[in-house]
Amino acid sequence: MASGTTRYLRYILFAFFGLTVLYFISTSSSIPTESLQNASDIIREQGSKWRGASSSVRASTTAPAATGNTMTPRPPISFPPEKVIGDRMNATFVSLARNTDLWEISRSIRQVEDRFNRKFNYDWVFLNDKPFDETFKKVTQALVSGTARFGEIPPEHWSFPDFIDQDRARKTREDMAERKIIYGDSVSYRHMCRYESGFFFRHPLLNEYEWYWRVEPSIELFCDINYDTFKYMADHGKKYSFVLSLYEYVETIPTLWDSTKKFMKSHPEHIVKDNSMGFVSDDGGESYNHCHFWSNFEIGNLDWLRSNAYLDFFQSLDGDGGFFYERWGDAPVHSIAAALLLKKDEIHFFNDIAYYHVPFTHCPTGEQTRVDLKCHCNPNDNFDWKGYSCTTRFFDVNGLPKPAGWEKEA
């Protein structure tokens, strides 16, 4: 009997203790009994503390605040205007491309449009030795901000001239292939170099323009360009420009300077005073030092290329057959012409146009320049002051001070 009573009292004590614990939890717990705040509640309570927020934030999330602020709490970024108001220059981009180059040239267009042309909307002329297909036209038209124009190269500008000895030209290609000279066995490369040297500026689509910017497939621009480069050239009396310079492959141009000297002797009237002979020759014109401006980037004046001086120069070289009997490139041809037919101060170096074409990079010298122009190139890749570059020579010939910090990149 006693043991049963004790067991009964124990049950009563356990029950009382349990009720006491439950009561304590229900009256002292810190867990909120209301529902969690939603986004509207948080915005209403904290909105006035956010930088740029209105001092009075409405509870409704369906209507924007009367101040017109964006949802981001940071201040708006100041972008250049999408279009420059005012007169543009009579200028165009020009690209030599084939249908198979579509995606490589699309990459180049995107680079140029994003970094420069979305603000200026200059036209773009595409040239091909075959008709462009509809896919090429559709894609490129969608990418350019100006008018896209498509032209076919006349067969007589992309073929062997009648005076070329085909057997001699073939033996040259075979020899260069055996010696593993780059593009040494290519017929199409020779047509391209001859066309870029003497014919692209004569295409009917380019007749209406005064300035051109040459763009090739798979190039890259690393920095913003916030001014009209064509207008800069015109305002400062420039007719030819570059961003990279280097020495030409000697094996490809063994007699180019001989042809140049013949031209100089035949047309002394075209050799201007205060020219850049010192850029292309170390001995006053007796020999060629092989320096040239890398012509896959050019901004230039089409009227200069159409001038009697340049046309006489090209015709003289072309008649010697070096485009086919050797492998003359358009880069040394343009460079020698600019060095002899233009004054020093008519040639311009664009330090601020950061550019890549395999395998060389021009990254602007000067940290503040790179920061200001939102550049993403590595200054260690800059080719300008390396031993195989001719840019130092250009500065020396023109008596120009080199950009601050160039020694660190040499």
Side-chain angles (χ1 to χ4, degrees):
M1 181 70 178
S3 60
T5 301
T6 301
R7 189 164 49 251
Y8 178 72
L9 290 174
R10 190 181 301 136
Y11 292 154
I12 293 174
L13 289 173
F14 284 150
F16 178 78
F17 178 76
L19 291 172
T20 302
V21 171
L22 290 173
Y23 174 78
F24 176 78
I25 292 174
S26 65
T27 58
S28 64
S29 175
S30 61
I31 300 175
T33 56
E34 68 273 12
S35 61
L36 292 175
Q37 287 178 299
N38 58 28
S40 298
D41 298 328
I42 295 173
I43 292 173
R44 184 167 56 251
E45 292 181 6
Q46 301 296 326
S48 61
K49 301 177 184 178
W50 286 5
R51 181 172 55 181
S54 170
S55 59
S56 172
V57 182
R58 298 184 180 183
S60 172
T61 60
T62 59
T67 59
N69 290 331
T70 62
M71 293 182 64
T72 53
R74 61 191 178 199
I77 299 173
S78 177
F79 288 112
E82 292 193 7
K83 292 186 179 181
V84 171
I85 299 175
D87 294 335
R88 296 181 306 162
M89 300 299 294
N90 183 15
T92 185
F93 295 95
V94 59
S95 293
L96 191 63
R98 288 178 166 152
N99 292 310
T100 53
D101 296 323
L102 172 58
W103 304 116
E104 288 77 16
I105 196 64
S106 294
R107 173 186 171 185
S108 299
I109 296 169
R110 188 72 268 168
Q111 294 278 327
V112 173
E113 289 289 337
D114 288 350
R115 288 297 195 173
F116 172 78
N117 202 41
R118 66 185 178 86
K119 300 184 284 288
F120 298 95
N121 312 136
Y122 280 109
D123 293 349
W124 209 302
V125 173
F126 298 94
L127 301 175
N128 189 354
D129 63 316
K130 299 290 190 297
F132 284 108
D133 61 35
E134 291 306 311
T135 300
F136 189 100
K137 292 180 180 180
K138 182 185 298 183
V139 172
T140 53
Q141 282 174 329
L143 289 173
V144 303
S145 57
T147 299
R149 310 179 73 182
F150 305 91
E152 188 172 349
I153 298 170
E156 61 270 22
H157 292 170
W158 196 274
S159 58
F160 290 97
D162 293 339
F163 58 82
I164 292 297
D165 182 333
Q166 292 288 342
D167 187 57
R168 179 182 172 186
R170 176 183 55 78
K171 289 179 179 178
T172 295
R173 296 193 301 273
E174 292 172 352
D175 174 67
M176 286 191 172
E178 187 174 335
R179 289 188 287 147
K180 302 187 184 310
I181 295 174
I182 186 170
Y183 303 121
D185 62 342
S186 174
V187 174
S188 63
Y189 187 82
R190 286 173 167 82
H191 289 321
M192 182 274 291
C193 290
R194 181 172 179 259
Y195 183 75
E196 292 282 19
S197 295
F199 295 106
F200 85 91
F201 50 87
R202 307 190 216 194
H203 195 282
L205 289 181
L206 288 167
N207 283 344
E208 66 186 71
Y209 297 105
E210 182 182 358
W211 299 92
Y212 76 100
W213 179 335
R214 177 172 165 181
V215 179
E216 293 202 352
S218 297
I219 62 98
E220 187 166 2
L221 295 181
F222 296 106
C223 305
D224 286 349
I225 306 169
N226 296 322
Y227 64 96
D228 190 331
T229 56
F230 300 114
K231 191 173 189 305
Y232 177 90
M233 296 277 288
D235 290 348
H236 293 81
K238 308 296 183 181
K239 294 184 179 179
Y240 188 82
S241 64
F242 73 102
V243 294
L244 284 164
S245 67
L246 64 155
Y247 294 93
E248 180 61 297
Y249 296 107
V250 179
E251 295 85 353
T252 66
I253 53 166
T255 68
L256 176 58
W257 194 252
D258 292 334
S259 293
T260 299
K261 289 198 292 184
K262 185 176 72 172
F263 164 76
M264 289 190 288
K265 185 177 180 179
S266 300
H267 293 280
E269 73 277 11
H270 292 327
I271 310 304
V272 304
K273 295 180 180 180
D274 195 29
N275 60 33
S276 298
M277 175 67 82
F279 179 73
V280 294
S281 177
D282 299 334
D283 51 20
E286 284 301 313
S287 63
Y288 180 33
N289 62 20
H290 307 116
C291 275
H292 69 279
F293 308 119
W294 217 24
S295 60
N296 47 65
F297 171 96
E298 294 178 326
I299 300 176
N301 184 270
L302 288 165
D303 289 338
W304 170 60
L305 294 176
R306 300 180 187 118
S307 69
N308 289 334
Y310 185 86
L311 292 176
D312 286 346
F313 176 69
F314 172 74
Q315 184 175 352
S316 179
L317 264 58
D318 193 39
D320 288 341
F323 290 106
F324 301 102
Y325 298 146
E326 296 176 8
R327 203 227 64 187
W328 294 354
D330 56 281
V333 171
H334 284 189
S335 301
I336 292 172
L340 301 181
L341 310 180
L342 296 177
K343 296 179 180 179
K344 289 179 185 176
D345 59 7
E346 292 179 314
I347 304 173
H348 182 65
F349 169 63
F350 278 107
N351 179 55
D352 52 350
I353 298 182
Y355 176 82
Y356 170 79
H357 183 294
V358 62
F360 299 117
T361 296
H362 164 64
C363 187
T365 300
E367 182 180 18
Q368 192 58 51
T369 297
R370 295 191 296 270
V371 171
D372 291 344
L373 300 180
K374 300 178 175 64
C375 303
H376 70 278
C377 55
N378 183 346
N380 294 328
D381 295 334
N382 186 26
F383 182 71
D384 295 347
W385 317 114
K386 310 300 183 188
Y388 202 67
S389 171
C390 293
T391 300
T392 292
R393 180 183 296 272
F394 175 81
F395 274 75
D396 292 343
V397 166
N398 287 275
L400 299 173
K402 298 181 181 67
W406 73 271
E407 305 96 332
K408 299 177 183 178
E409 300 173 6

